[in-house]
Amino acid sequence: MATTLAILAVLATGLYAGCFLAFQSGVMPALREADDAQFTQIMRKVNEKVPGPVFLLLFLGSVGLPAASLWVPPEGATATGRALTVAALVCAVLGHAVTAVGNVPLNNALAAAAGRGGERAARTAFEGRWNALHRVRTLLAVAAAVLMAVAVVG
């Protein structure tokens, strides 16, 4: 059971990081080329659809599974492995905090601006700040995945 938890922790943190990295490296550069109305419409739809069951499973698993792996460590777990797991968990929690206090309020403000015209203003208020926060949470998610993988392998 403990080894399974550790492997699931690696998978959850890795898939979560991959989701953010794909968005960072592919989706947002593509949207940069969209006009203001297209950009705001697409981001509103993304923000409606992303918190679906699969994403929520990864969102919760990227914190819950490393925590469970600490609670029930694999046989032969070392102090270094536990420290790396703690570091992965800290990165994951910090990334979730960035999401909760940064990206989600921006998503909500963008949604609230729908139908009021002024798509340029809505985009301007959203895009730069959202991207900066997304870069931070992407780096934290990637760090969590790498730390968790090294904790399990090492």
Side-chain angles (χ1 to χ4, degrees):
M1 173 71 158
T3 301
T4 301
L5 280 175
I7 291 169
L8 289 173
V10 171
L11 284 172
T13 56
L15 289 170
Y16 188 69
C19 179
F20 277 3
L21 192 56
F23 213 84
Q24 180 69 39
S25 64
V27 175
M28 293 313 291
L31 285 178
R32 208 175 298 131
E33 298 175 14
D35 68 34
D36 297 335
Q38 292 170 327
F39 176 89
T40 55
Q41 180 183 14
I42 291 167
M43 283 306 297
R44 286 180 185 120
K45 287 292 181 190
V46 167
N47 293 332
E48 289 173 14
K49 300 296 181 185
V50 165
V54 172
F55 182 82
L56 288 176
L57 185 64
L58 294 176
F59 181 82
L60 297 172
S62 67
V63 169
L65 289 165
S69 172
L70 280 172
W71 186 259
V72 184
E75 189 173 319
T78 64
T80 300
R82 288 182 62 78
L84 290 168
T85 301
V86 168
L89 183 57
V90 168
C91 287
V93 168
L94 289 174
H96 282 36
V98 169
T99 297
V101 301
N103 294 89
V104 170
L106 288 170
N107 294 346
N108 293 341
L110 186 65
R116 295 185 180 164
E119 296 303 315
R120 179 74 191 142
R123 180 180 188 167
T124 299
F126 177 86
E127 187 175 18
R129 289 176 31 197
W130 192 93
N131 281 326
L133 291 165
H134 185 68
R135 278 189 293 278
V136 170
R137 68 184 182 167
T138 298
L139 288 171
L140 288 166
V142 169
V146 169
L147 288 163
M148 197 64 230
V150 173
V152 169
V153 173

